[in-house]
Amino acid sequence: METTRKLRLKALAGLLLAVVALMIYLGDRVFTPEGDILIEARQSISAAGEEENSGEGGDEKEDFLSENMEEQRNIHNTIIVDIAGAIEKPGVYHLEEGSRLYQLIELAGGLAADADMRYLNRAAVLEDQQKIYIYTEDEAEKEAVKELSSAQGSEGASVNINTADTKALETLSGVGPSTAAKIIAYRQEYGPFKSIEEIKNVSGIGEKTFETIRDRIRVN
């Protein structure tokens, strides 16, 4: 009887030692009543949370950088143009680079009823810091008469190559009907001349002709 009890105690002690050894081996791992192993649950959940937070922060940072880059691109792709004269809403307007004059006119409420459209190229490409003045019909007539009278009245009178008609342009030395028409066509396609030197871009006006007329032409 005593021997049996001692054997049972030894077996129980051995079992306890085995359990302790197993617990030491498994570390933080524990057994559920069903025998399933829960492996470092707290640490796994914590690590997963950190990864999720890290991912969210990365996405927010990436979104911020993308928005900032898009804003910078928009700034660089924007032009500012001033329009005045026979227009419903004169003022300064922001447009996308490559916009045409007709788009600016639409933004400005359209042309006034008395706007002169004879020399207005609405398909012209706009440029940053450009100033556009839309003449009324009366203003255009007066300007043309003034240019013609000035050209005819004095050899040294200047001609505004941005507003002069063919007759006024033909008063310039070396400029005939064909070249005058080309000057007006260039003006309609590319917009007003920004300098008198730009007239050399017109076919038929070379350096020699330019030197002859340079003292008689102006752009404003």
Side-chain angles (χ1 to χ4, degrees), residues 94-111:
H94 294 242
L95 302 96
E96 292 185 1
E97 186 177 8
S99 295
R100 307 276 177 164
L101 178 56
Y102 79 89
Q103 294 172 302
L104 173 60
I105 291 174
E106 289 177 356
L107 282 178
L111 294 171

Side-chain angles (χ1 to χ4, degrees), residues 26-30 37-46:
L26 293 176
D28 292 337
R29 303 178 183 183
V30 296
I37 300 178
L38 301 178
I39 304 175
E40 301 174 351
R42 182 181 300 175
Q43 295 179 3
S44 299
I45 294 173
S46 177

